[in-house]
Amino acid sequence: MSSTHVSSPSGADTSDHKATLFCQDCGHASPVDGDWTVRTVGERQRLRCPDCRSVVDDRRVREPTPEGPLRRYVDAVGDYWSAWTALFRPRADC
């Protein structure tokens, strides 16, 4: 995961801006809570680039899911199905 502090050309303080993530494959940039595709499978959370689908960040989720293991299982099956069907979706760059 990359984060940068962006300074404005006018020299104004930008400390209130959120960190920006950059996709290493295609250069897409967006705030951490921006347009990244977020998937949580089990105890792992992945942020993927909306343009090229590369994994930008992969981390362990620290807080347990309050709904329990059944909810995590159902979410995982849904996420895997979504990833599987994404393989057959036409891409914009083709």
Side-chain angles (χ1 to χ4, degrees):
M1 177 170 107
S2 310
S3 63
T4 60
H5 177 77
V6 181
S7 59
S8 67
S10 64
D13 181 25
T14 58
S15 60
D16 59 337
H17 292 278
K18 295 189 179 208
T20 301
L21 293 177
F22 295 91
C23 176
Q24 297 296 316
D25 292 338
C26 71
H28 179 82
S30 183
V32 175
D33 60 351
D35 60 352
W36 307 105
T37 303
V38 179
R39 296 275 190 245
T40 303
V41 177
E43 294 182 359
R44 308 291 302 176
Q45 183 180 54
R46 289 191 178 124
L47 272 70
R48 289 188 178 269
C49 177
D51 294 337
C52 69
R53 298 185 184 132
S54 296
V55 175
V56 177
D57 184 45
D58 182 10
R59 66 180 62 202
R60 186 172 182 211
V61 179
R62 296 176 190 216
E63 43 192 71
T65 307
E67 294 88 9
L70 180 59
R71 181 77 239 167
R72 286 196 317 258
Y73 174 77
V74 170
D75 289 343
V77 169
D79 289 339
Y80 285 127
W81 179 256
S82 175
W84 179 254
T85 57
L87 293 172
F88 300 105
R89 228 180 294 146
R91 292 182 63 179
D93 60 347
C94 293

